[in-house]
Amino acid sequence: MAARRIAVIGSLNIDMITRTSRIPEAGETLTAESFDTGFGGKGANQAVASARLASNDIKVQMVGNVGNDGFGNDYFEAMEKEGIDGSRVQRVRGQKTGVSVIIVDEATGENRILFTKGANYAFEEVADGSVGKDWDLVPSNADVVVFQLEIPLPVVLHNIKAASEKGKHVIFNPAPASTVPDAAFSHIDTLIMNESESAILSGPTEDHNMPSTEELAAFFLKKGVKDTVIITLGGQGLVYVTKSGESGRVPAKKVKVVDTTAAGDTFVGAYAVARVKDGFSYNAALDFATTAAAKSVERHGAMAAIPYLSDLA
Ligand code: ATP
């Protein structure tokens, strides 16, 4: 049987992390404690999560842009090491790879982050309603296609629609939080988001009674989501509802929490792996993604914390 394929369409960034005993004042030069670089971006994180958690009969492909720079080269090497198909990652001339400069104040643990979009946003700009010639990103052989919001919204919306019309299973993780036009919901099969993303995605309301998480999840099904809505609640687990009438809460696994940075991306990548498998069941998929996400919070870092299938045994 041909391998099942997951395509992740989204961002690839380099994280540049400096740890310091305090934040320097304006005009001050301070010697930092340490410096490190890492691969990041929600798209790349989710592709890596899928690749590390997939069995041999599942292939993972990344689709997005890097710059024509050394970081871009590093990314191709990293994808190869992770077993990710990078043939649809474009190296964009005259662009830099997206970068997050992260300063960690060791005394307080607080982060300060400066994100530069770089190549992630290097798509043809067009007048409202038309489509750029470099916007068609959905691989024809993908079974499940995963989207987030760290590339331009019109490009995401165009490809969600295209993927849905080609019969792909569309997983959408609306992060960083944003609203999307109502028409998008009927092209989404699985919507996965955290609580604050769900509040923003649901749009402004004149109703002063806060809806419950269950009501919010059901609201997105009414908006047109075709299969499942999952709202993750950090250490409280998640709430889910399905079009076929299943719903419930799944508690988080009890683990020693070290760093929750990559929990959401690990969850999405793991769910995509469970979704693409034959014999999919909601319970098994939610349990697999919950177990993988819990494993990621036991470790420091973003991509470095994403577990492998063998870690879940
Ligand atoms: P992040 O932005 O930190 O990557 P997120 O806000 O998108 O994450 P969360 O709702 O925090 O997503 O977490 C996703 C899933 O990860 C949860 O549903 C849960 O299964 C798992 N998880 C998160 N935090 C914990 C925790 N403290 N203990 C165990 N599991 C956790």
Side-chain angles (χ1 to χ4, degrees):
M1 207 179 82
R4 310 279 288 160
R5 294 186 72 97
I6 298 168
V8 180
I9 299 181
S11 57
L12 303 99
N13 298 328
I14 296 287
D15 293 338
M16 306 180 80
I17 310 140
T18 305
R19 294 180 172 274
T20 172
S21 55
R22 65 174 174 84
I23 304 294
E25 303 295 330
E28 181 187 9
T29 301
L30 194 65
T31 302
E33 303 299 319
S34 68
F35 172 75
D36 211 351
T37 58
F39 298 99
K42 287 192 165 291
N45 281 344
Q46 292 178 13
V48 165
S50 289
R52 290 185 185 173
L53 293 162
S55 44
N56 290 335
D57 55 343
I58 297 171
K59 296 280 167 250
V60 180
Q61 179 164 30
M62 179 73 210
V63 183
N65 292 338
V66 293
N68 196 15
D69 55 10
F71 291 147
N73 299 340
D74 295 345
Y75 240 119
F76 283 102
E77 252 177 54
M79 284 187 289
E80 203 175 323
K81 271 198 202 132
E82 296 285 350
I84 294 172
D85 175 355
S87 59
R88 291 286 304 271
V89 173
Q90 297 291 327
R91 198 192 295 267
V92 187
R93 270 169 186 260
Q95 289 284 343
K96 302 268 186 224
T97 301
V99 165
S100 287
V101 174
I102 304 167
I103 299 178
V104 183
D105 181 336
E106 289 202 316
T108 63
E110 268 178 359
N111 284 341
R112 283 171 170 74
I113 303 178
L114 271 170
F115 168 58
T116 310
K117 296 169 182 169
N120 291 306
Y121 269 65
F123 289 93
E124 189 188 359
E125 281 186 41
V126 293
D128 251 6
S130 49
V131 173
K133 60 180 181 309
D134 56 356
W135 285 22
D136 285 322
L137 302 177
V138 179
S140 57
N141 58 0
D143 298 293
V144 167
V145 189
V146 184
F147 296 91
Q148 323 73 29
L149 287 175
E150 286 184 345
I151 63 173
L153 180 62
V155 177
V156 173
L157 296 175
H158 169 72
N159 284 288
I160 281 180
K161 183 163 181 275
S164 167
E165 286 171 353
K166 287 176 185 163
K168 318 293 185 196
H169 185 99
V170 172
I171 297 180
F172 180 45
N173 172 223
S178 167
T179 54
V180 300
D182 276 355
F185 289 104
S186 60
H187 301 302
I188 297 164
D189 295 279
T190 301
L191 179 62
I192 305 176
M193 68 220 137
N194 68 20
E195 244 182 327
S196 59
E197 287 150 5
S198 71
I200 291 171
L201 191 70
S202 65
T205 170
E206 278 152 32
D207 186 350
H208 295 296
N209 300 321
M210 282 290 283
S212 67
T213 313
E214 281 80 359
E215 286 166 341
L216 250 186
F219 167 83
F220 292 110
L221 279 185
K222 281 201 210 92
K223 283 255 187 187
V225 173
K226 291 191 276 181
D227 185 327
T228 315
V229 178
I230 299 168
I231 301 180
T232 62
L233 306 167
Q236 303 300 309
L238 61 86
V239 162
Y240 75 101
V241 291
T242 77
K243 199 76 181 173
S244 54
E246 293 173 67
S247 63
R249 281 187 176 240
V250 177
K253 305 279 174 194
K254 289 210 166 24
V255 291
K256 189 163 174 286
V257 182
V258 173
D259 177 352
T260 64
T261 309
D265 290 338
T266 303
F267 186 93
V268 173
Y271 194 85
V273 166
R275 182 73 246 188
V276 83
K277 281 197 172 148
D278 289 330
F280 167 83
S281 94
Y282 290 111
N283 289 340
L286 293 168
D287 185 59
F288 181 67
T290 297
T291 304
K295 205 76 199 163
S296 76
V297 309
E298 291 182 305
R299 296 181 189 157
H300 274 297
M303 209 175 270
I306 297 172
Y308 291 81
L309 189 56
S310 55
D311 297 325
L312 308 192

